[in-house]
Amino acid sequence: MSSAGETEVFYFTNFQLYPERSLLLQDGRPVKIGSRALLILIILVERAGLIVSNRELIDLVWPDTYVEESNIRVHLTSLRRLLGERLGTARFIVNIPGRGYQFIAPVRRDDPHEERAQPVAVDRTGPTVGRLIGRDDILDKLTAMLPQRRLITILGAGGIGKTALVQALTARWLEETAAEVSFVDLAPVSDDSRVASALAAVLQVPVISSDPMPNILQALRRTRRVLVFDSCEHVIDAVAEISETIIAEVDNVNIVTTSREPLRASGEWIQRLQPLAFPPEQSPLSVDDVLSYPAVQLFVERALAISDTFAPNDHEALVLGDLCRRLDGLPLAIELAAARVDMFGLEELARRLDSQLSLLSRGLRTAVPRHRTIRATIDWSYQLLSLQQKNLLNRLSVFTGYFSFESASALAAAPGGPSGAFVEEIVQLVEQSLVVAETINHGTSYRLLGTTRAFAGEKLEESGEVDMVREWHAGHVLDLLKDANDASTTLTLEDWSSAYSSMIDDIRTAMDWAFGPRGMIDIAVRLAAASAPVWFRHSLLDEYRRRLEQTVSRLDELETPDRESEMLINTALGHAIWHSRGPEGADERFLRAIDLADELSNAFAGRTARWGLWLAYTMKGDTARALDVAEHFGEREPSEDARWQLAQERMMALTLHFAGRHGEAQHYVDHVLSHPNVLNLPARNSGFLFDQRIAAKTLNSRLLWIQGFPDRALALAHEGAEEALALGHGLSFCYNLAQSICPISIWAGELETARRYTDILLDYSTNRVLPYWHTWGRTYDQALGRTSARMGLRPEHELSGVTLQTLYHQETAATLDPGLADDVIVEAATGGRSWCSPELLRVKAVRMLQADRSQTDPAAVDVILLTALAEAREQTALSWELRAATTLAESRRARGDMSGMVVLSETFKRFSEGFETADLCRASSLLDGR
């Protein structure tokens, strides 16, 4: 860095940077910035316009210390916010992918002793708070509205950042106008009668009578002013009355209030403040994506203020996103949690988050008492409630996720619930920001923030009625699941998901209680059986598998056997096993479910279990058994429903494909896809069935490629991937990626496409904890030569001692890259027939050619390749035939024999498309003599 010492200062926009003094000013005011973030800024500013590599930054900022590149990203994210950059903009620092970072704002280097007028810092906006994060849009909106609205109330729950927002608003107002700002903190004011006196004190108006309002009004008329009343909820009536009086009597005053409930004053304009945005659950996000969310940015900034060495690695960034989500994006809760990160670290902090109220208890000493702990913040509002409202809020704490007005009403009506006007009570809780009301799918849903729920849960425990309320809640969840299963016969998958998929958190809570020491095992078993569609809709297969295995282990505790639930549990467990761990062991569960379905004469359940058994056999590579199930599907439980008839045709198509009978399989697929869309939806929206139209397109794309139509196959694979993504059904999405677009892209040499979709498959299966599908992604990563760069599943989700690579999986790997071929699979190709046996034979020949040529018998190689050609023609597998013909031509030409070119030429001429794909380009070059 420069050695100019104290003579150096850098100016850019309204910032001044003094490197040797480790000082950054903005408009003459010191900016609070961590030492490493400041050092990064100095390095970039001194090299403004030049690209500074990641390696150079690490060497300069962390000399003699090994750190990951994520450290740079974290500090730069914080630095960009300090400089005022918004998401998606780059006014100061840009990232040059693969090269480093560049400071792009104009910079002037100058002498700091030169006479310069520096702005004077004057604080007229009330108490100082931290830098505002994630509120740019709402701040812009309020700035535009302030001159037009005389009375604005910023409404929100305790700790959501109302005071910080109003401070930023008034600071911006001071910059743009000559008006004064008067800030009245009402938290210390104990009753309505003292509000006017508090205002008089701020305005420095002497109180010489019992009514100070005349003098206050006279003082307010003297100058343009914004008047802020902060924390109004406990003196709401007095603030409303005073605000109405001021607005009626004085023209040059605008009022902004912060409150947990509306003033309900004349002319009031309400701006409800929502939590900071946080990463959605189980979304395939990169680390940079996670760090772009305001809730995460706030945590990082507050953590860096405590320890400038805080820099989460790639895995910890995902943990951080989950932590901010569990804190509901509540700024105070996030700041209190960040204050603990130096004590526990991120992983341990996340594990301890279930004890939110005790954990989030170390606020700033300078904070007002109600904001020093989460408990104090919520208790401030709780004490303002009536006894009936407290009772209702306590009971509502049993709902973990969203709940409807009808559910809340039913809970209130349960024995011992609050009597009287329930509607008024719930409205009051919403208005006082203790219950959040949100418009979802054209209706209103309600929820409690996690911290509020924890507080109210403690109060419910203290009330002595917690067991009664939790039993009611578990029964209510069962009732909702029954409604969900009934609705699946009439609603589309999208509408069903909108109505019922949000139940997942309450299902978890109910099952945890039912399996617990104070729960009821019969309710637990019924919950496990009835909730399958919701678990599968969320693709939470690993968690559901563990819960189902727990259920099966405790079935003998039932006083009366519940065969129907046991049947449903075994079917669901079979699917959960093969989606999360692979098909091994799933067939045992399906066979048990079939026995129970036959015993109960339940035709629908029998068909569903047989479908699962067929799928398990298919994915294990047991084609003979799979074909037997498919051919006899529905014989025991015949159905006139066209959906089940089409299901059997899909089963036959896939089984015949894996048996190498691609032409017959194509006949079934064409028939299935010729039917209307409605008949190809999952039967009864059962959740664990793939979307059947996407499944059919997935198979069709494979058949088209193998039969020699690569362009059509790629187009259909892309179409299926986009449809699966738009559908939002996780298992259908994984199935399409793993069985269609990823392998076909690699076969066709479309490697960029393959990389993109493999990344999506790996991220998605990681976030949803789907090890089986993750293993497919790893296989494609290996074929693309990128294994070392990928982040895998967390250790607890890895399957020690369990192989996910079935026969089918190993066969696929061999078709992608001969180097991935398993020796046993390749050798077995000579004696068996499968969907890719011609290609496996070719791979065997390639391996022989790659070995010591002096030990290789050319005639033996020719025999294998000619056998591959014959099998490919018998299978109508033109793409496998082309590969075998190309290898034959190359092998013979290397020996001076050009007869293989005739075979290749005849094969090449049978193609009508795909001439830009890898195999056809290779064949064309060979034929052209290149």
Side-chain angles (χ1 to χ4, degrees):
M1 290 187 295
S2 174
S3 60
E6 285 291 323
T7 64
E8 276 192 323
V9 59
F10 296 89
Y11 296 93
F12 50 95
T13 64
N14 60 334
F15 290 93
Q16 304 88 47
L17 175 63
Y18 297 81
E20 297 303 324
R21 292 164 57 187
S22 297
L23 176 64
L24 177 67
L25 302 179
Q26 182 179 19
D27 294 328
R29 304 178 184 180
V31 175
K32 187 175 182 180
I33 181 173
S35 61
R36 285 195 167 87
L38 179 61
L39 185 53
I40 291 173
L41 178 63
I42 292 171
I43 293 168
L44 293 176
V45 169
E46 287 189 334
R47 295 161 174 76
L50 303 177
I51 297 173
V52 183
S53 71
N54 292 347
R55 186 71 264 162
E56 185 177 3
L57 277 175
I58 289 174
D59 290 343
L60 291 171
V61 179
W62 290 274
D64 305 319
T65 303
Y66 173 77
V67 296
E68 297 180 356
E69 290 188 3
S70 59
N71 292 56
I72 298 177
R73 289 202 301 269
V74 169
H75 284 282
L76 280 168
T77 299
S78 175
L79 182 56
R80 284 173 168 139
R81 287 196 307 275
L82 287 170
L83 297 177
E85 286 191 357
R86 298 189 183 184
L87 183 62
T89 65
R91 296 173 52 214
F92 298 97
I93 301 169
V94 294
N95 171 236
I96 311 299
R99 300 182 64 191
Y101 295 87
Q102 181 181 31
F103 194 88
I104 59 172
V107 175
R108 179 168 59 88
R109 185 185 304 217
D110 213 340
D111 187 335
H113 302 296
E114 179 183 343
E115 289 294 325
R116 295 188 180 276
Q118 298 290 350
V120 179
V122 179
D123 183 8
R124 297 174 289 169
T125 62
T128 301
V129 296
R131 181 179 296 273
L132 197 66
I133 292 175
R135 304 296 193 192
D136 292 333
D137 291 342
I138 198 169
L139 182 58
D140 290 343
K141 178 182 177 182
L142 288 171
T143 301
M145 294 306 300
L146 187 54
Q148 306 170 27
R149 303 286 182 176
R150 297 287 308 281
L151 175 58
I152 296 175
T153 294
I154 299 175
L155 195 67
I160 206 163
K162 301 182 293 294
T163 301
L165 178 61
V166 78
Q167 186 208 16
L169 175 64
T170 53
R172 185 178 287 187
W173 180 262
L174 284 172
E175 293 175 0
E176 298 177 0
T177 71
E180 296 291 331
V181 173
S182 297
F183 190 98
V184 186
D185 181 7
L186 294 175
V189 178
S190 57
D191 59 63
D192 286 15
S193 64
R194 299 184 180 180
V195 174
S197 298
L199 174 57
V202 169
L203 296 174
Q204 298 182 344
V205 173
V207 179
I208 56 178
S209 68
S210 59
D211 182 11
M213 282 307 297
N215 289 342
I216 288 173
L217 295 172
Q218 184 177 356
L220 289 174
R221 293 188 183 100
R222 294 173 186 154
T223 184
R224 186 85 176 89
R225 187 182 302 272
V226 173
L227 187 58
V228 177
F229 289 111
D230 190 42
S231 303
C232 302
E233 52 275 347
H234 61 303
V235 286
I236 201 82
D237 293 335
V239 175
E241 182 180 349
I242 290 172
S243 298
E244 287 185 341
T245 300
I246 293 173
I247 288 174
E249 299 291 335
V250 182
D251 294 333
N252 56 328
V253 172
N254 292 68
I255 300 174
V256 182
T257 73
T258 70
S259 179
R260 302 183 190 187
E261 63 175 300
L263 270 60
R264 299 192 194 89
S266 176
E268 179 185 25
W269 188 77
I270 295 173
Q271 176 61 61
R272 186 172 288 277
L273 194 56
Q274 301 295 340
L276 294 175
F278 47 79
E281 187 173 12
Q282 297 170 332
S283 292
L285 299 176
S286 68
V287 174
D288 288 336
D289 288 336
V290 172
L291 293 174
S292 72
Y293 282 88
V296 178
Q297 292 173 359
L298 176 63
F299 188 103
V300 170
E301 181 166 299
R302 297 300 185 261
L304 284 171
I306 295 170
S307 171
D308 65 5
T309 62
F310 174 75
N313 59 33
D314 287 356
H315 169 64
E316 288 175 331
L318 301 179
V319 174
L320 179 52
D322 179 67
L323 189 149
C324 291
R325 180 172 55 253
R326 292 169 63 192
L327 292 173
D328 294 299
L330 191 68
L332 178 60
I334 290 170
E335 292 187 359
L336 293 173
R340 295 283 191 173
V341 76
D342 61 328
M343 179 182 299
F344 297 115
L346 270 178
E347 295 269 9
E348 182 63 20
L349 184 66
R351 280 192 287 270
R352 290 173 174 262
L353 205 57
D354 288 337
S355 305
Q356 288 191 17
L357 298 183
S358 58
L359 181 67
L360 308 180
S361 58
R362 191 177 74 175
L364 297 174
R365 291 187 177 90
T366 55
V368 293
R370 70 182 187 281
H371 282 174
R372 287 178 187 166
T373 70
I374 281 292
R375 190 187 304 277
T377 298
I378 301 170
D379 192 58
W380 171 272
S381 294
Y382 190 78
Q383 296 306 322
L384 301 176
L385 301 178
S386 68
L387 182 60
Q388 299 285 0
Q389 291 165 353
K390 290 177 180 177
N391 189 344
L392 178 57
L393 182 66
N394 297 346
R395 287 184 165 214
L396 291 175
S397 68
V398 297
F399 290 112
T400 313
Y402 287 96
F403 55 89
S404 66
F405 185 86
E406 291 74 20
S407 291
S409 178
L411 176 57
S419 59
F422 162 76
V423 174
E424 181 60 26
E425 305 297 355
I426 191 73
V427 168
Q428 284 296 317
L429 291 176
V430 171
E431 288 199 340
Q432 295 181 51
S433 303
L434 287 165
V435 172
V436 178
E438 297 182 15
T439 300
I440 300 176
N441 301 321
H442 310 294
T444 302
S445 295
Y446 304 86
R447 70 183 180 101
L448 272 62
L449 296 179
T451 48
T452 305
R453 185 170 58 252
F455 180 93
E458 286 186 356
K459 297 297 183 182
L460 179 65
E461 192 78 40
E462 294 170 5
S463 73
E465 63 173 19
V466 61
D467 288 329
M468 183 274 294
V469 173
R470 291 206 172 277
E471 181 180 348
W472 175 91
H473 174 257
H476 183 66
V477 171
L478 274 173
D479 291 340
L480 291 177
L481 287 171
K482 182 181 182 302
D483 293 343
N485 284 310
D486 291 343
S488 68
T489 62
T490 56
L491 296 179
T492 65
L493 180 60
E494 182 180 0
D495 289 342
W496 186 93
S497 299
S498 298
Y500 296 106
S501 62
S502 63
M503 292 177 58
I504 187 65
D505 290 324
D506 280 293
I507 292 170
R508 286 183 173 120
T509 300
M511 290 183 73
D512 289 344
W513 171 82
F515 276 117
R518 294 153 70 174
M520 302 174 69
I521 189 64
D522 60 324
I523 292 179
V525 170
R526 289 158 59 201
L527 283 167
S531 59
V534 181
W535 291 101
F536 282 97
R537 185 68 185 90
H538 282 276
S539 303
L540 296 169
L541 282 304
D542 195 60
E543 179 183 352
Y544 189 37
R545 174 187 57 77
R546 286 183 273 110
R547 288 182 179 272
L548 289 170
E549 289 172 344
Q550 176 190 23
T551 306
V552 169
S553 71
R554 298 186 61 180
L555 285 174
D556 57 357
E557 297 178 27
L558 291 171
E559 293 184 7
T560 304
D562 184 349
R563 296 302 189 200
E564 183 173 356
S565 292
E566 184 183 355
M567 172 189 67
L568 296 173
I569 286 168
N570 274 281
T571 300
L573 181 54
H575 285 289
I577 286 173
W578 93 258
H579 278 295
S580 62
R581 300 172 65 89
E584 197 65 44
D587 50 350
E588 298 173 13
R589 294 300 169 186
F590 290 125
L591 287 167
R592 175 59 179 159
I594 290 169
D595 288 342
L596 289 167
D598 292 346
E599 178 186 323
L600 298 171
S601 300
N602 189 324
F604 175 80
R607 282 191 295 269
T608 302
R610 283 180 170 82
W611 186 88
L613 180 64
W614 161 80
L615 195 57
Y617 286 153
T618 301
M619 291 298 128
K620 285 172 67 174
D622 193 342
T623 304
R625 286 185 178 179
L627 188 58
D628 181 66
V629 174
E631 287 176 338
H632 298 93
F633 182 76
E635 286 184 359
R636 188 176 182 88
E637 305 95 359
S639 173
E640 298 300 321
D641 190 336
R643 301 185 188 193
W644 285 110
Q645 295 170 9
L646 284 178
Q648 182 175 18
E649 294 194 20
R650 285 188 293 266
M651 294 164 69
M652 288 296 299
L654 188 60
T655 311
L656 291 169
H657 163 57
F658 285 133
R661 295 157 65 178
H662 307 301
E664 295 174 71
Q666 187 70 60
H667 170 76
Y668 280 106
V669 167
D670 290 343
H671 187 253
V672 166
L673 290 173
S674 68
H675 281 74
N677 288 359
V678 67
L679 294 181
N680 279 299
L681 291 173
R684 299 180 182 271
N685 291 344
S686 55
F688 48 74
L689 300 179
F690 298 123
D691 179 89
Q692 296 301 296
R693 191 164 189 84
I694 287 175
K697 286 187 175 183
T698 297
L699 175 55
N700 196 20
S701 62
R702 293 171 61 90
L703 291 171
L704 287 170
W705 191 89
I706 286 174
Q707 294 177 100
F709 302 100
D711 287 344
R712 288 166 58 189
L714 281 167
L716 189 60
H718 279 282
E719 180 183 314
E722 296 305 317
E723 283 188 23
L725 180 62
L727 181 68
H729 187 262
L731 298 183
S732 298
F733 188 43
C734 287
Y735 181 75
N736 177 269
L737 295 182
Q739 306 305 313
S740 177
I741 187 67
C742 288
I744 291 173
S745 297
I746 296 175
W747 291 335
E750 298 283 344
L751 300 186
E752 282 305 314
T753 298
R755 291 185 187 100
R756 179 162 67 94
Y757 282 107
T758 297
D759 286 341
I760 294 172
L761 177 59
L762 283 164
D763 290 337
Y764 194 94
S765 58
T766 297
N767 291 327
R768 299 299 177 105
V769 192
L770 297 171
Y772 176 69
W773 296 111
H774 192 79
T775 303
W776 280 101
R778 285 180 171 179
T779 298
Y780 298 132
D781 232 18
Q782 284 183 300
L784 293 165
R786 306 186 307 161
T787 53
S788 62
R790 295 300 309 176
M791 179 179 66
L793 295 172
R794 294 178 61 174
E796 60 265 35
H797 298 307
E798 296 287 358
L799 301 178
S800 177
V802 177
T803 176
L804 296 179
Q805 291 208 345
T806 61
L807 173 65
Y808 166 49
H809 198 139
Q810 293 167 335
E811 288 176 337
T812 302
T815 68
L816 302 170
D817 179 356
L820 299 179
D822 181 271
D823 291 339
V824 176
I825 297 297
V826 172
E827 290 303 320
T830 343
R833 179 186 172 108
S834 78
W835 66 282
C836 62
S837 53
E839 175 65 358
L840 295 179
L841 286 168
R842 186 192 73 88
V843 169
K844 182 177 181 179
V846 168
R847 286 189 161 193
M848 294 172 66
L849 290 169
Q850 290 174 342
D852 186 353
R853 288 188 176 271
S854 63
Q855 303 296 319
T856 302
D857 179 5
V861 172
D862 280 6
V863 168
I864 293 173
L865 289 172
L866 290 171
T867 303
L869 283 165
E871 283 204 16
R873 289 166 185 153
E874 185 180 354
Q875 291 188 5
T876 65
L878 185 56
S879 288
W880 297 147
E881 184 181 343
L882 178 69
R883 286 189 171 189
T886 302
T887 303
L888 179 68
E890 290 173 334
S891 171
R892 288 184 173 179
R893 188 178 70 166
R895 306 195 306 263
D897 180 356
M898 304 304 291
S899 62
M901 293 294 185
V902 177
V903 178
L904 178 59
S905 177
E906 290 302 318
T907 305
F908 188 86
K909 289 176 183 178
R910 287 158 51 206
F911 279 86
S912 59
E913 61 176 62
F915 297 107
E916 299 300 320
T917 57
D919 288 348
L920 282 159
C921 286
R922 178 182 171 190
S924 177
S925 296
L926 191 59
L927 290 170
D928 291 343
R930 296 197 296 270

